Every structure is written in C-alpha cells, then in structure tokens.
Amino acid sequence: MRSAVLTVDPVFTIGPVRPRTFGSFVEHLGRCVYTGIHDPSHPTADADGFRRDVVELARELGVTTVRYPGGNFVSGYRWEDGVGPREQRPARLDLAWHSTEPNLVGVDEYVRWCRTAGVEPMMAVNLGTRGVQEALDLLEYCNVPGGTRLSDLRRANGADEPYRIRMWCLGNEMDGPWQTGHKTAHEYGRLAAETARAMRMIDPGIELVACGSSGRGMATFGTWEHTVLTEAYDQVDLISAHAYYHEEDGDLASFLASAVDMDRFVEDVAATADAVRAAGNHSKRVNISFDEWNVWYIDRAESQPPSGDDWPVAPVLLEDRYTVADAVVVGGLLISLLRHTDRVHAASLAQLVNVIAPIMTEPGGRAWRQTTFHPFALTSRHAAGQVLRVAVDGPTVQTAKYGEVAALDAVATYDDAAGELVLFAVNRSTTEPVALDVDLRGFGELAVAEALTLSNPDHTWTATADDSTSVLPRPNATAAVRAGRAGVELPPVSWSMVRLARA
Ligand code: AHR
C-alpha cells in the first residue's frame, strides 16, 4: 500500500476555525422554500408553516448562517411583496427560474425560521432590477428599532425588536449575463460602493459582501474583482466567490480533485484583493465570502427551468441526488475552505433543502439526508480551535484537468483547551488505498477518540427516502497511535475524519 506522511505541529497555525465557514443558503428556487423548509400541511409544521423535521436536520447538519432569498432570484425580488398579511401578498413572476413566487414566505418568516433553527441570517439585496433606495428600505425595515415608516411596519407585522442582521450581500452574481439586471464590473462596482455607503449611514455595524465572480471560468474573472474592488474597496468587507463542480464525461479523477480548483480560486481572489489594497494604499484587508459552493450537475434535465406559459409554483428543480463520490468531493471542498481560513471568512453550501441540497423532503412526507450531509455535519461539529498547516509527503494521481495532484488531501484543526486534534482527509485515488502516517510532534500524548470513513465499493451509491443509511461514515478500525505517530488506512474515493484526544 502506498503511504503518505503528514506532519502537523500546534505552533503552525493558519487561523481560527470560523463558525461562518459552515453556512448554507435558502433561495426561492424550486422546492427549497415551498415544500422544503415551508410546508403548512406537514404533520410537523409550526405556526408559520415551517417543517420542524427539517429544522432538526438543519441543526444536525451544523449550519451556522443561511443566505437568503437568492441567488438569481434576488435580482428580480421585491421584498415588500413578502411582508404583511399573507392573503394580501401578490403572486409574481420569478424570471430567474421561470416560476411563480406566491410570497407566502418573506423576510419576517425567514428571520423567524433562522431563530428557530439557531442560525445567523445573511440577507441579499436586489441590485439587479433595483438599487440604493430599495436596499435602504429593506435595511430600515430590518434593523431600525422604530419610529419610521418601515421600521414601524415591521413592528406592525409582529416584530417589535429590530432584527439587527449583520451580514448583507450587495446583489448576486452581477457578472453573469444570465442575471436579471446584469452589469459591467464598473457599473456594478459604482452601484455596490454607493449602496454600501448609504447602508452604513443607517447601520455602521453591518458587514457587506460585494459580488465577485460567479465562477473561476468566467471570461471576466480577475478583472471583475479588480474593477469592483477598485471602486468599492473602502465600502465593503468581503468579496464573494461561487463555485460548483461535477463529474464530466466520466472523469472521476479530475472531479475528485475539485478542491485544487477551489484552492486556486481563493488564492487568486485574495491576490487580486491584495493588489487593489496595495495600489490604493488601503490598510484593511478585504476577505472572501465563498457564499455558493457545492457539487451541481448543472447540465442535467432537473436543472432546466420551465418555459413558455408554464410558470409553476415550486417546481422540481436542481434536485440532484448525490453519490458517495459527490460526498467525498464535498468533504474535500470543506478541507479547502478550512485551509484558507485566513482569507475565507464566510461560506455557504448551496443550498440547504431539495435544491442541490444535503437535505431532501417529500411534500407532506419524509425528510432524509443525502450522502453530502455527512462530511458537512461531521466537519461542522468537530473542526474547532485553530486550523493547522499540514505538510503532506505522499503519492500523486494524474488528472486531465489539473495535471498531477496529491492523492491525499488533508487539513487539521487543534483545540488546545479541549486537547483535541482532528484530521480531515480525502483519498482522491480512484483505485489505490493510502496508508496515512501522521507525525504528531508537539502534541504530547494523543489517542484515537474516533475515526470515521465514508466510502463504498460502489461509489455511485445514492441515498433515497427508503434507504438513506446503508452507506454512512463508518468507524475505521485501522486508526491507531503508536510512538507519537498516528496511522490510518484510507480506501480509494474516501473521506475520513480522525479525532485524536489527549490521552
Ligand atoms: O444556487 C443555484 C444558483 O447558482 C443561484 O441562484 C445562482 O446564484 C447561481 O448561479
């Protein structure tokens, strides 16, 4: 068996594990909101019509923030349609997904759902069909205590106390020609800067995310970030990055190495932000909100919106069913996000329920966990303290997209107070196991507290409502500590977590 030697030391830290790395995303898209989080006819529905079983799964997933209401949807959204008495709310065309938006869930319900689920809201404003004034109106509605028309409207709608939402996205994917109200980098940079400046006049405590590129493959990638930040550097805190991956033409090796692309994406955006910082003699750093990332089979039929006169409410859209290999990639992308904790200060797994999601539901019926649920839930639960630099010396695999890459990808977190070192590792080889040998210098005596591996001889296995548990992360009995070194065998196409605790 080929082996990889991994060296970690508690002194070599990258930065803290950030709770906001484990955010997710709820868009008015397909069945994410309606029959996803919201289903008044469901036996577990609460007074707002939210499914309690889904809330429980979101809690188990360990989601910390939820971005809302889009996504492409937000670029045509009128937030006022979604507040006040439900029977008076209008139905509207949703141009982004060729659907009808009934507006049964809006800002007030979303904030209540966030509270029930114990997550931080992350609100996006419409900078596609709307602008500075509408962003200010929404901020006034949400964050001003009272005494003005819109803050009093919120109070009349049942929320006496302001929501004090801190994280705000200045539009969504404005670089994308598919976006309603798509803009050039210069047009968007000016609008983002002016919207941000005005929003801070209402609430200086908010954190603002400018739109970066909707993919590293965009023709404008790099120049978009440079232009936008040149206009808006002082006004914003974060710049967004979005990335979706899928296996193309049976090229599993490249797919398993998707984190290589995410690594480069983060490093390129950070370098661009730092170049603008230097050129403008700015003192602060703009960091990254990786606020859409996941596996998404974008070309499949289930991702094609309706057309013509068909404008359905909550159609089945983007309902990808995830394999074990998809889950290994999701686990690998989390490793990349953690490894860049110095620059990635927030991230959102897109999305939470039904739409390219770890949680699936039947209307009025069962809810279940997809394969991708497990690496996310375990990483969110156990990554703690500081992210450590790891040096890996091991075998490589050849990929068509990224050339020769390390077969083993890993990151470590260390919680000194709890005395726990946690390794997250992916074996990207499609055929060969890897024996991982970890040099534990500097940690004192550690023992294996838990070792779990997600893999399956058939890596195309998917969970269904009838069987979501046949393939789960299973105890890895090969994990052991001997003479200051930890060892564990990692099967091909696998994701693993090894928790080592002070003996
Ligand atoms: O998450 C699905 C879609 O992907 C979002 O609406 C959009 O922002 C991105 O292109």
Side-chain angles (χ1 to χ4, degrees), residues 12-58:
F12 298 124
T13 59
I14 299 172
V17 175
R18 298 177 194 279
R20 283 178 176 173
T21 300
F22 304 103
S24 186
F25 176 29
V26 165
E27 177 169 6
H28 286 253
L29 193 182
R31 300 196 308 113
C32 187
V33 172
Y34 305 112
T35 74
I37 61 169
H38 184 261
D39 192 349
S41 66
H42 194 269
T44 70
D46 68 12
D48 274 318
F50 288 124
R51 288 179 64 148
R52 288 197 184 89
D53 60 341
V54 172
V55 167
E56 282 315 307
L57 284 172

Side-chain angles (χ1 to χ4, degrees), residues 25 27 29 67 70-73 97 172-173 178-179 214 242 244 292 296 318 350-351 355-356:
F25 176 29
E27 177 169 6
L29 193 182
R67 183 170 174 252
N72 297 339
F73 171 80
W97 302 106
N172 175 70
E173 292 191 351
W178 58 86
Q179 202 69 211
S214 49
H242 291 179
Y244 293 101
E292 287 188 33
W296 177 12
L318 283 68
Q351 299 190 4
V355 171
I356 45 173

Side-chain angles (χ1 to χ4, degrees), residues 334-373:
L334 278 166
I335 288 173
S336 172
L337 292 171
L338 282 172
R339 171 161 55 230
H340 293 100
T341 195
D342 52 340
R343 297 312 296 263
V344 177
H345 284 204
S348 306
L349 175 72
Q351 299 190 4
L352 184 65
V353 187
N354 291 330
V355 171
I356 45 173
I359 300 169
M360 298 299 292
T361 67
E362 294 171 331
R366 296 171 291 181
W368 74 96
R369 301 162 190 80
Q370 294 233 54
T371 54
T372 54
F373 186 100

Side-chain angles (χ1 to χ4, degrees), residues 86-125:
R86 274 188 170 144
E87 59 286 359
Q88 288 168 25
R89 297 185 193 177
R92 296 275 194 190
L93 294 180
D94 162 18
L95 303 187
W97 302 106
H98 207 279
S99 305
T100 295
E101 171 52 51
N103 282 306
L104 298 175
V105 171
V107 170
D108 296 313
E109 288 85 11
Y110 158 69
V111 172
R112 286 201 288 274
W113 185 87
C114 286
R115 288 182 179 160
T116 308
V119 303
E120 178 185 2
M122 181 186 197
M123 186 74 87
V125 300

Side-chain angles (χ1 to χ4, degrees), residues 301-331:
E302 53 265 37
S303 283
Q304 310 318 312
S307 58
D309 288 336
D310 187 21
W311 297 86
V313 175
V316 172
L317 267 177
L318 283 68
E319 298 204 10
D320 282 355
R321 301 301 164 101
Y322 290 121
T323 65
V324 172
D326 294 329
V328 170
V329 169
V330 164

